Amino acid sequence: MKMAFEEVRLSLPHIELAAHLYGPEDGQPVIALHGWLDNAASFARLAPKLPGLRIVALDFAGHGHSDHRPAGASYAIWDYVHDVLQVAEQFGWQRFSLLGHSMGAIVSVLLAAALPERVERLALIDGLIPYTGEADSAPQRLAEALKAQMALAGKRKPVYAEFERAVEARMRGVGAVSREAAELLAQRGLMPTRGGYTWRTDSRLTLPSPMRLTYAHAMAFVEQLQCPVNLVMAEQGMLLAQPRFDELLANRPIIQSRLPGGHHLHLDDEDGAQLVADCFNSFLRPS
């Protein structure tokens, strides 16, 4: 299924972000948030299968065609939460739903738990909480992050002589994807450079986190969710492999579906996108 989208740039008070707009202007407002190192094309298959919604599929800061954060800034997960809230403000949406994949799902949970009065519904794909770290590991984690940050200036992004080589690299990357999915992400995520192509993404996105939420922190956000939540889990994805995952969902009023496919099941092929859409259509457009 094909569906036209509008390419827009959103001038927020602190940064300019790019996005794809899908659906009618008077549709149910939804902000779609992609995963780490992906971009708005993550929803190229799924968004057309969700009629009646006004979907703003963002490029997160540092991803796709969005601006990079200024020198000296970082990419903390809560900074993405602030970005999303500013996007909603720009559209004049006091209440909206969130459609999140992987890191985008995590950002969605943080925002919905922190400001429940703003978020109508959560539709999550193979993501719920960030990787956590306990207090005793914090000094070592900060040391590793600082060393990596100091070494970043001496590193260069990979350059691919041909577009196809970049596609093949993305197929093998974190959260491996199908060739068609890799092509969609690469079409938006690559830029020409001397010698071929390289990724638009900010190199700082690959730095290790200097600090992680503890498991108790993560649990607190899940416990504070007040809106309806619909979680799609990929049988060959990443979410089910997280430690203590069953404990996280125990006795939670969360709609849960396990679907065949990998971490990018909503993008890998049309059949997977349709299965995800079947889970979300009536949920995001309640009668």
Side-chain angles (χ1 to χ4, degrees):
M1 180 186 293
K2 297 289 184 181
M3 182 180 183
F5 61 82
E6 180 185 355
E7 177 86 36
V8 296
R9 295 196 67 80
L10 307 172
S11 296
L12 307 184
H14 61 296
I15 197 168
E16 188 169 280
L17 301 183
H20 288 167
L21 295 184
Y22 293 88
E25 290 187 19
D26 61 351
Q28 294 279 349
V30 177
I31 302 177
L33 307 175
H34 63 76
W36 179 62
L37 299 184
D38 289 344
N39 53 60
S42 178
F43 298 99
R45 292 191 192 272
L46 179 58
K49 299 180 183 346
L50 300 172
L53 304 178
R54 181 61 162 173
I55 298 175
V56 179
L58 283 183
D59 284 336
F60 273 131
H63 296 73
H65 288 256
S66 286
D67 285 353
H68 295 182
R69 298 210 190 277
S74 63
Y75 287 89
I77 193 82
W78 36 85
D79 291 328
Y80 291 125
V81 176
H82 176 244
D83 294 343
V84 175
L85 192 60
Q86 289 285 3
V87 168
E89 291 290 300
Q90 180 151 127
F91 281 91
W93 292 348
Q94 287 303 305
R95 293 278 287 176
F96 52 91
S97 294
L98 293 168
L99 168 61
H101 169 243
S102 194
M103 184 182 79
I106 296 165
V107 172
S108 299
V109 168
L110 296 184
L111 176 52
L115 295 176
E117 69 275 12
R118 300 299 300 271
V119 180
E120 191 80 33
R121 291 171 178 268
L122 288 184
L124 310 177
I125 305 169
D126 216 45
L128 187 64
I129 65 169
Y131 289 110
T132 58
E134 298 310 309
D136 59 355
S137 65
Q140 179 182 354
R141 174 163 294 281
L142 179 57
E144 292 171 353
L146 289 171
K147 291 175 182 177
Q149 187 174 0
M150 296 297 288
L152 187 63
K155 294 184 178 180
R156 295 292 179 265
K157 290 182 181 180
V159 175
Y160 306 94
E162 301 172 357
F163 179 87
E164 186 61 24
R165 296 290 176 264
V167 169
E168 292 171 354
R170 183 61 190 89
M171 289 173 64
R172 300 188 299 269
V174 176
V177 298
S178 69
R179 180 173 294 277
E180 289 185 354
E183 288 173 350
L184 287 167
L185 293 171
Q187 285 166 7
R188 187 163 183 81
L190 287 174
M191 63 181 183
T193 190
R194 178 176 295 181
Y197 300 89
T198 193
W199 299 105
R200 294 179 181 273
T201 47
D202 192 331
S203 297
R204 290 174 291 176
L205 292 167
T206 63
L207 291 172
S209 300
M211 203 67 63
R212 284 183 174 176
L213 298 179
T214 67
Y215 184 76
H217 281 129
M219 285 287 288
F221 281 96
V222 175
E223 290 169 356
Q224 286 295 314
L225 292 174
Q226 298 180 23
C227 66
V229 182
N230 192 327
L231 172 63
V232 166
M233 298 166 283
E235 290 181 348
Q236 289 79 48
M238 299 171 66
L239 186 57
L240 291 173
Q242 283 196 8
R244 304 169 71 178
F245 180 71
D246 291 338
E247 176 186 341
L248 185 66
L249 289 182
N251 301 316
R252 308 284 176 204
I254 295 176
I255 302 169
Q256 301 173 42
S257 302
R258 294 193 182 196
L259 299 181
H263 187 54
H264 288 76
L265 74 166
H266 65 299
L267 181 65
D268 279 333
D269 55 51
E270 293 292 338
D271 290 343
Q274 187 61 59
L275 289 175
V276 175
D278 291 343
C279 292
F280 290 159
N281 260 312
S282 60
F283 175 76
L284 288 172
R285 290 187 294 113
S287 56

